[in-house]
Amino acid sequence: MLDVNKTVREFAIESPSAIRVFEKLRIDYCCGGNQPLKDACVQKGLQVDDVLQLLGQATQTGTNSESSDSQSLPLASLIKLIVEKHHTYTRKELEFLSELLERVCTAHGQNHPELLHIRAHFQDLHAELLPHMMKEENILFPFITRLETAISEDRPAPFAPFGQLRNPITVMMAEHESAGEILENIRTLSNDFTVPDDACFSYRTLYKTLEELELDLHQHIHLENNVLFPRASEMEQTTRAATM
């Protein structure tokens, strides 16, 4: 029996195949994953029993994903996965979509003014994500890696210029939430990425790529918010308790 009082985050961690269900039903498992499943269903106007049935079926037929081993991977390896797969993908797609949006807006913006609003939101997303990933790669992630290494080698924890991990993590999670809101606005403006009848190939490619970017960012943020950050924070707290 699946427990409706478990958080969406717990379902996503314990059964990665549940992520497909959450994506299909538009249930937030990354930024808003700390709420109980029953509350998430109420927010979306979904019947809890129906969602539980879908989750049960996904668990039985699902295959492993990158988050299957995320709880057992060394944090350095998890960070490497996030940077090499998700950060690299995000940078590449942001550049591609910036150019594509300009072309599609020039060709179709007059007949589809929603494109101009989508472009404005995308520009905000672009401007937010690039410095966000730089801060993670240059400050937060290296510290977590050094902390894990120090613990494994029984050495003192490295100096943290930001105080405690919760300080930069709080900032990163707030920026994740902001990115999630932008993605939701883009989805709404595009009518769930539904292309109009007069859409050309570039227009269709734009919506397809935006939706793929949204999915990858959801999985990317899930790995950070729900796996990396809690594990790193717990590791830091254990280290602090041992030195007191």
Side-chain angles (χ1 to χ4, degrees), residues 163-189:
Q164 296 186 28
L165 266 176
R166 66 184 180 190
N167 296 324
I169 284 176
T170 298
V171 174
M172 294 300 100
M173 292 183 69
E175 292 179 359
H176 286 166
E177 186 170 352
S178 176
E181 291 173 357
I182 295 172
L183 290 169
E184 187 63 31
N185 288 334
I186 291 174
R187 174 171 282 276
T188 299
L189 286 164

mmCIF file of all heavy atoms in Angstrom, residues 163-189:
data_model
loop_
_atom_site.group_PDB
_atom_site.id
_atom_site.type_symbol
_atom_site.label_atom_id
_atom_site.label_comp_id
_atom_site.label_asym_id
_atom_site.label_seq_id
_atom_site.Cartn_x
_atom_site.Cartn_y
_atom_site.Cartn_z
ATOM 1 N N GLY A 163 29.548 30.630 6.063
ATOM 2 C CA GLY A 163 28.976 30.186 7.337
ATOM 3 C C GLY A 163 28.598 28.733 7.272
ATOM 4 O O GLY A 163 29.455 27.855 7.249
ATOM 5 N N GLN A 164 27.305 28.457 7.206
ATOM 6 C CA GLN A 164 26.817 27.086 7.112
ATOM 7 C C GLN A 164 26.256 26.824 5.723
ATOM 8 O O GLN A 164 25.843 27.750 5.010
ATOM 9 C CB GLN A 164 25.746 26.831 8.170
ATOM 10 C CG GLN A 164 26.263 26.933 9.613
ATOM 11 C CD GLN A 164 25.196 26.540 10.617
ATOM 12 O OE1 GLN A 164 24.308 25.756 10.327
ATOM 13 N NE2 GLN A 164 25.311 27.089 11.820
ATOM 14 N N LEU A 165 26.226 25.556 5.348
ATOM 15 C CA LEU A 165 25.730 25.176 4.027
ATOM 16 C C LEU A 165 24.308 25.663 3.770
ATOM 17 O O LEU A 165 23.946 25.951 2.633
ATOM 18 C CB LEU A 165 25.772 23.648 3.881
ATOM 19 C CG LEU A 165 27.020 23.043 3.232
ATOM 20 C CD1 LEU A 165 26.926 21.535 3.264
ATOM 21 C CD2 LEU A 165 27.178 23.545 1.811
ATOM 22 N N ARG A 166 23.510 25.730 4.830
ATOM 23 C CA ARG A 166 22.118 26.126 4.637
ATOM 24 C C ARG A 166 22.001 27.516 4.027
ATOM 25 O O ARG A 166 20.977 27.824 3.384
ATOM 26 C CB ARG A 166 21.357 26.065 5.956
ATOM 27 C CG ARG A 166 21.810 27.076 7.001
ATOM 28 C CD ARG A 166 21.089 26.887 8.302
ATOM 29 N NE ARG A 166 21.520 27.851 9.319
ATOM 30 C CZ ARG A 166 21.188 27.779 10.595
ATOM 31 N NH1 ARG A 166 20.422 26.772 11.008
ATOM 32 N NH2 ARG A 166 21.614 28.667 11.456
ATOM 33 N N ASN A 167 23.015 28.356 4.200
ATOM 34 C CA ASN A 167 22.942 29.716 3.659
ATOM 35 C C ASN A 167 22.969 29.730 2.130
ATOM 36 O O ASN A 167 22.029 30.242 1.505
ATOM 37 C CB ASN A 167 24.065 30.574 4.244
ATOM 38 C CG ASN A 167 23.921 30.759 5.742
ATOM 39 O OD1 ASN A 167 22.817 30.870 6.265
ATOM 40 N ND2 ASN A 167 25.035 30.788 6.457
ATOM 41 N N PRO A 168 23.996 29.171 1.473
ATOM 42 C CA PRO A 168 23.940 29.146 0.006
ATOM 43 C C PRO A 168 22.845 28.223 -0.530
ATOM 44 O O PRO A 168 22.271 28.495 -1.584
ATOM 45 C CB PRO A 168 25.330 28.645 -0.407
ATOM 46 C CG PRO A 168 25.842 27.911 0.783
ATOM 47 C CD PRO A 168 25.282 28.642 1.975
ATOM 48 N N ILE A 169 22.554 27.138 0.198
ATOM 49 C CA ILE A 169 21.501 26.234 -0.266
ATOM 50 C C ILE A 169 20.152 26.948 -0.298
ATOM 51 O O ILE A 169 19.362 26.779 -1.236
ATOM 52 C CB ILE A 169 21.443 24.979 0.623
ATOM 53 C CG1 ILE A 169 22.611 24.043 0.277
ATOM 54 C CG2 ILE A 169 20.110 24.237 0.455
ATOM 55 C CD1 ILE A 169 22.715 22.821 1.165
ATOM 56 N N THR A 170 19.880 27.772 0.713
ATOM 57 C CA THR A 170 18.627 28.536 0.734
ATOM 58 C C THR A 170 18.524 29.444 -0.487
ATOM 59 O O THR A 170 17.465 29.552 -1.116
ATOM 60 C CB THR A 170 18.529 29.371 2.022
ATOM 61 O OG1 THR A 170 18.508 28.492 3.147
ATOM 62 C CG2 THR A 170 17.270 30.221 2.020
ATOM 63 N N VAL A 171 19.639 30.069 -0.843
ATOM 64 C CA VAL A 171 19.654 30.942 -2.022
ATOM 65 C C VAL A 171 19.428 30.137 -3.292
ATOM 66 O O VAL A 171 18.630 30.517 -4.156
ATOM 67 C CB VAL A 171 20.993 31.708 -2.101
ATOM 68 C CG1 VAL A 171 21.069 32.510 -3.402
ATOM 69 C CG2 VAL A 171 21.151 32.640 -0.905
ATOM 70 N N MET A 172 20.120 29.008 -3.416
ATOM 71 C CA MET A 172 19.977 28.176 -4.618
ATOM 72 C C MET A 172 18.546 27.667 -4.772
ATOM 73 O O MET A 172 17.990 27.652 -5.874
ATOM 74 C CB MET A 172 20.951 26.994 -4.566
ATOM 75 C CG MET A 172 22.422 27.357 -4.628
ATOM 76 S SD MET A 172 22.932 28.237 -6.110
ATOM 77 C CE MET A 172 22.973 29.940 -5.485
ATOM 78 N N MET A 173 17.938 27.262 -3.663
ATOM 79 C CA MET A 173 16.568 26.742 -3.729
ATOM 80 C C MET A 173 15.572 27.837 -4.084
ATOM 81 O O MET A 173 14.597 27.597 -4.804
ATOM 82 C CB MET A 173 16.203 26.059 -2.410
ATOM 83 C CG MET A 173 16.982 24.769 -2.172
ATOM 84 S SD MET A 173 16.532 23.887 -0.662
ATOM 85 C CE MET A 173 14.883 23.319 -1.074
ATOM 86 N N ALA A 174 15.814 29.053 -3.609
ATOM 87 C CA ALA A 174 14.947 30.176 -3.974
ATOM 88 C C ALA A 174 15.063 30.455 -5.474
ATOM 89 O O ALA A 174 14.055 30.743 -6.151
ATOM 90 C CB ALA A 174 15.317 31.416 -3.162
ATOM 91 N N GLU A 175 16.260 30.365 -6.006
ATOM 92 C CA GLU A 175 16.449 30.574 -7.442
ATOM 93 C C GLU A 175 15.837 29.428 -8.249
ATOM 94 O O GLU A 175 15.315 29.646 -9.346
ATOM 95 C CB GLU A 175 17.941 30.742 -7.744
ATOM 96 C CG GLU A 175 18.503 32.039 -7.166
ATOM 97 C CD GLU A 175 19.990 32.231 -7.417
ATOM 98 O OE1 GLU A 175 20.616 31.337 -8.041
ATOM 99 O OE2 GLU A 175 20.527 33.272 -6.994
ATOM 100 N N HIS A 176 15.891 28.229 -7.714
ATOM 101 C CA HIS A 176 15.209 27.107 -8.363
ATOM 102 C C HIS A 176 13.705 27.373 -8.453
ATOM 103 O O HIS A 176 13.070 27.116 -9.481
ATOM 104 C CB HIS A 176 15.426 25.812 -7.573
ATOM 105 C CG HIS A 176 16.800 25.250 -7.709
ATOM 106 N ND1 HIS A 176 17.288 24.272 -6.869
ATOM 107 C CD2 HIS A 176 17.804 25.517 -8.591
ATOM 108 C CE1 HIS A 176 18.515 23.961 -7.229
ATOM 109 N NE2 HIS A 176 18.859 24.705 -8.258
ATOM 110 N N GLU A 177 13.148 27.863 -7.363
ATOM 111 C CA GLU A 177 11.708 28.146 -7.345
ATOM 112 C C GLU A 177 11.350 29.221 -8.356
ATOM 113 O O GLU A 177 10.332 29.130 -9.044
ATOM 114 C CB GLU A 177 11.280 28.571 -5.942
ATOM 115 C CG GLU A 177 9.777 28.735 -5.794
ATOM 116 C CD GLU A 177 9.346 28.906 -4.355
ATOM 117 O OE1 GLU A 177 10.186 28.756 -3.440
ATOM 118 O OE2 GLU A 177 8.149 29.183 -4.141
ATOM 119 N N SER A 178 12.195 30.239 -8.454
ATOM 120 C CA SER A 178 11.959 31.295 -9.432
ATOM 121 C C SER A 178 11.998 30.742 -10.856
ATOM 122 O O SER A 178 11.140 31.072 -11.684
ATOM 123 C CB SER A 178 13.013 32.394 -9.272
ATOM 124 O OG SER A 178 12.862 33.388 -10.263
ATOM 125 N N ALA A 179 12.976 29.872 -11.130
ATOM 126 C CA ALA A 179 13.055 29.252 -12.450
ATOM 127 C C ALA A 179 11.821 28.403 -12.726
ATOM 128 O O ALA A 179 11.292 28.398 -13.846
ATOM 129 C CB ALA A 179 14.318 28.397 -12.554
ATOM 130 N N GLY A 180 11.353 27.699 -11.708
ATOM 131 C CA GLY A 180 10.147 26.885 -11.868
ATOM 132 C C GLY A 180 8.931 27.720 -12.203
ATOM 133 O O GLY A 180 8.091 27.316 -13.025
ATOM 134 N N GLU A 181 8.818 28.881 -11.603
ATOM 135 C CA GLU A 181 7.696 29.775 -11.891
ATOM 136 C C GLU A 181 7.763 30.294 -13.325
ATOM 137 O O GLU A 181 6.740 30.403 -14.010
ATOM 138 C CB GLU A 181 7.694 30.937 -10.901
ATOM 139 C CG GLU A 181 7.343 30.528 -9.478
ATOM 140 C CD GLU A 181 7.514 31.660 -8.485
ATOM 141 O OE1 GLU A 181 7.967 32.754 -8.899
ATOM 142 O OE2 GLU A 181 7.200 31.460 -7.288
ATOM 143 N N ILE A 182 8.972 30.601 -13.783
ATOM 144 C CA ILE A 182 9.135 31.059 -15.164
ATOM 145 C C ILE A 182 8.726 29.952 -16.138
ATOM 146 O O ILE A 182 8.029 30.198 -17.130
ATOM 147 C CB ILE A 182 10.588 31.506 -15.422
ATOM 148 C CG1 ILE A 182 10.923 32.744 -14.577
ATOM 149 C CG2 ILE A 182 10.797 31.810 -16.906
ATOM 150 C CD1 ILE A 182 12.380 33.138 -14.632
ATOM 151 N N LEU A 183 9.172 28.732 -15.872
ATOM 152 C CA LEU A 183 8.804 27.605 -16.727
ATOM 153 C C LEU A 183 7.296 27.407 -16.770
ATOM 154 O O LEU A 183 6.730 27.121 -17.830
ATOM 155 C CB LEU A 183 9.483 26.327 -16.221
ATOM 156 C CG LEU A 183 11.001 26.238 -16.390
ATOM 157 C CD1 LEU A 183 11.544 25.055 -15.609
ATOM 158 C CD2 LEU A 183 11.374 26.113 -17.864
ATOM 159 N N GLU A 184 6.651 27.574 -15.627
ATOM 160 C CA GLU A 184 5.191 27.420 -15.574
ATOM 161 C C GLU A 184 4.513 28.504 -16.396
ATOM 162 O O GLU A 184 3.517 28.244 -17.088
ATOM 163 C CB GLU A 184 4.723 27.469 -14.118
ATOM 164 C CG GLU A 184 3.242 27.143 -13.931
ATOM 165 C CD GLU A 184 2.886 25.726 -14.346
ATOM 166 O OE1 GLU A 184 3.737 24.828 -14.215
ATOM 167 O OE2 GLU A 184 1.748 25.530 -14.823
ATOM 168 N N ASN A 185 5.040 29.718 -16.347
ATOM 169 C CA ASN A 185 4.480 30.812 -17.148
ATOM 170 C C ASN A 185 4.627 30.525 -18.642
ATOM 171 O O ASN A 185 3.699 30.789 -19.430
ATOM 172 C CB ASN A 185 5.174 32.128 -16.802
ATOM 173 C CG ASN A 185 4.779 32.652 -15.436
ATOM 174 O OD1 ASN A 185 3.704 32.360 -14.933
ATOM 175 N ND2 ASN A 185 5.662 33.423 -14.819
ATOM 176 N N ILE A 186 5.781 29.996 -19.034
ATOM 177 C CA ILE A 186 5.999 29.666 -20.444
ATOM 178 C C ILE A 186 5.039 28.563 -20.889
ATOM 179 O O ILE A 186 4.452 28.619 -21.969
ATOM 180 C CB ILE A 186 7.463 29.241 -20.673
ATOM 181 C CG1 ILE A 186 8.387 30.453 -20.505
ATOM 182 C CG2 ILE A 186 7.641 28.612 -22.052
ATOM 183 C CD1 ILE A 186 9.866 30.116 -20.581
ATOM 184 N N ARG A 187 4.844 27.567 -20.036
ATOM 185 C CA ARG A 187 3.909 26.487 -20.370
ATOM 186 C C ARG A 187 2.492 27.032 -20.532
ATOM 187 O O ARG A 187 1.767 26.647 -21.452
ATOM 188 C CB ARG A 187 3.950 25.399 -19.293
ATOM 189 C CG ARG A 187 2.903 24.308 -19.471
ATOM 190 C CD ARG A 187 3.109 23.143 -18.538
ATOM 191 N NE ARG A 187 4.175 22.260 -18.994
ATOM 192 C CZ ARG A 187 3.995 21.297 -19.894
ATOM 193 N NH1 ARG A 187 2.794 21.091 -20.439
ATOM 194 N NH2 ARG A 187 5.003 20.523 -20.252
ATOM 195 N N THR A 188 2.092 27.928 -19.640
ATOM 196 C CA THR A 188 0.750 28.501 -19.719
ATOM 197 C C THR A 188 0.578 29.321 -20.991
ATOM 198 O O THR A 188 -0.428 29.190 -21.703
ATOM 199 C CB THR A 188 0.477 29.382 -18.488
ATOM 200 O OG1 THR A 188 0.556 28.569 -17.303
ATOM 201 C CG2 THR A 188 -0.909 30.009 -18.562
ATOM 202 N N LEU A 189 1.553 30.161 -21.293
ATOM 203 C CA LEU A 189 1.475 31.008 -22.482
ATOM 204 C C LEU A 189 1.440 30.185 -23.771
ATOM 205 O O LEU A 189 0.812 30.594 -24.758
ATOM 206 C CB LEU A 189 2.663 31.967 -22.515
ATOM 207 C CG LEU A 189 2.624 33.136 -21.538
ATOM 208 C CD1 LEU A 189 4.004 33.778 -21.403
ATOM 209 C CD2 LEU A 189 1.598 34.176 -21.991
#
